[in-house]
């Protein structure tokens, strides 16, 4: 068993990348960024099956975003793109649950997105997938169904910034530590979920998660 098989218990950083897929930036009317857009979630955002995703306070529009998670296995700062993958212990399927209404209101005021993105249970995660299980993280299918209807189905080769580029960029600002998780952005098809809905999501056919909205 890998040291990282319960990476969410390390209590480390969850570093998230926004607008890393052109089609998703376009569907929300956002510009395609010149540099990665980065935000953080606290470790209290983690939730695992069979626990449920809770609606944040006063939400009108909770959105699902399926993402590929990179689990960091080696500390480092100022990591080069060439060496970046040496710092990855493995992968997981993750959701970046987002209070879209709140995010839109905060964006209009030029304020940080934390309340919209970082609430308890905003980061459901699947099992740890050791690095050997995904030979090329730039060739992975990310999919998500709500109540058995496919809503997101994208390939990581459509990422604007590759996993290596993201690790190199982020590590120039934050020292990456063992057990950190990087969420690499969502493909298009994000949309609302309500109490009682069932989300199922996965990477390829390798790993899938099922969560109920409370
Ligand atoms: C607009 C967003 O919420 C950005 C984001 O999280 C993404 O994955 O893209
Ligand atoms: Mg996201």
């Amino acid at each position: 068993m890998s040291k990282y098989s319960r990476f969410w218990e390390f209590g480390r950083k969850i570093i998230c990348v926004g607008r890393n897929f052109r089609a998703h930036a376009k569907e929300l009317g956002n510009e395609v960024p010149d540099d990665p857009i980065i935000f953080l979630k606290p470790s209290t955002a983690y939730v695992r099956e069979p626990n449920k995703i809770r609606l944040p306070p006063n939400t009108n529009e909770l959105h699902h975003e399926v993402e590929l998670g990179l689990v960091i296995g080696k500390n480092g700062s100022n990591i080069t793109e060439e060496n970046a993958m040496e710092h990855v212990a493995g992968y997981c399927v993750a959701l970046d649950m987002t209070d879209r209404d709140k995010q839109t209101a905060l964006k209009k005021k030029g304020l940080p997105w934390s309340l919209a993105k970082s609430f308890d249970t905003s980061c459901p995660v699947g099992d740890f997938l050791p690095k050997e299980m995904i030979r090329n993280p730039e060739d992975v299918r990310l999919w998500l169904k709500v109540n058995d209807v496919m809503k997101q189905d994208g390939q990581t080769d459509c990422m604007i910034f590759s996993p290596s580029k993201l690790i190199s960029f982020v590590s120039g600002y934050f020292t990456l530590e063992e057990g950190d998780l990087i969420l690499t952005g969502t493909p298009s098809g994000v949309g609302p979920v309500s109490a009682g809905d069932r989300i199922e999501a996965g990477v390829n056919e390798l790993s899938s998660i099922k969560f109920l909205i409370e």
Side-chain angles (χ1 to χ4, degrees):
M1 190 156 96
S2 163
K3 177 178 174 186
Y4 303 103
S5 45
R6 299 176 73 83
F7 64 88
W8 50 91
E9 289 181 352
F10 278 65
R12 294 266 160 79
K13 303 184 283 302
I14 305 172
I15 301 160
C16 306
V17 179
R19 298 182 202 161
N20 199 23
F21 287 75
R22 275 191 180 77
H24 171 56
K26 202 169 152 200
E27 73 182 344
L28 294 185
N30 292 319
E31 280 173 21
V32 172
D34 294 330
D35 279 322
I37 296 175
I38 304 296
F39 54 94
L40 295 168
K41 290 180 192 271
S43 56
T44 45
Y46 277 127
V47 60
R48 289 275 300 163
E49 289 177 61
N51 296 304
K52 295 179 183 163
I53 298 171
R54 294 208 304 270
L55 297 173
N58 309 314
T59 185
N60 293 315
E61 202 182 2
L62 180 65
H63 272 201
H64 55 77
E65 296 189 359
V66 63
E67 311 205 1
L68 177 67
L70 314 176
V71 179
I72 298 299
K74 184 174 148 193
N75 292 5
S77 56
N78 297 315
I79 301 165
T80 62
E81 270 183 64
E82 292 67 36
N83 293 337
M85 294 315 288
E86 288 172 18
H87 293 259
V88 174
Y91 304 92
C92 68
V93 56
L95 304 182
D96 170 17
M97 298 305 297
T98 302
D99 183 337
R100 194 68 72 199
D101 253 10
K102 205 169 280 141
Q103 186 193 27
T104 306
L106 291 165
K107 259 172 24 188
K108 275 191 192 138
K109 292 184 193 163
L111 294 171
W113 301 349
S114 304
L115 293 182
K117 289 279 200 182
S118 309
F119 53 90
D120 287 356
T121 74
S122 62
C123 190
V125 286
D127 290 344
F128 174 71
L129 301 171
K131 198 174 178 176
E132 309 74 62
M133 287 181 75
I134 295 185
R135 287 225 325 274
N136 181 4
E138 294 179 57
D139 184 20
V140 165
R141 177 177 169 232
L142 294 170
W143 58 270
L144 180 144
K145 295 177 187 175
V146 179
N147 301 332
D148 298 323
V149 179
M150 190 68 82
K151 299 287 184 181
Q152 292 191 266
D153 195 353
Q155 287 288 137
T156 53
D157 64 355
C158 295
M159 281 183 184
I160 299 168
F161 304 106
S162 68
S164 300
K165 173 84 194 169
L166 292 174
I167 288 169
S168 176
F169 180 83
V170 165
S171 71
Y173 293 84
F174 313 122
T175 297
L176 292 180
E177 299 167 284
E178 277 189 317
D180 281 352
L181 177 69
I182 302 181
L183 299 196
T184 53
T186 196
S188 60
V190 301
V193 284
S194 317
D197 283 348
R198 236 177 328 109
I199 297 182
E200 189 180 351
V203 288
N204 294 336
E205 307 308 321
L206 283 176
S207 169
S208 66
I209 49 175
K210 281 185 187 159
F211 281 92
L212 264 181
I213 311 291
E214 197 161 55

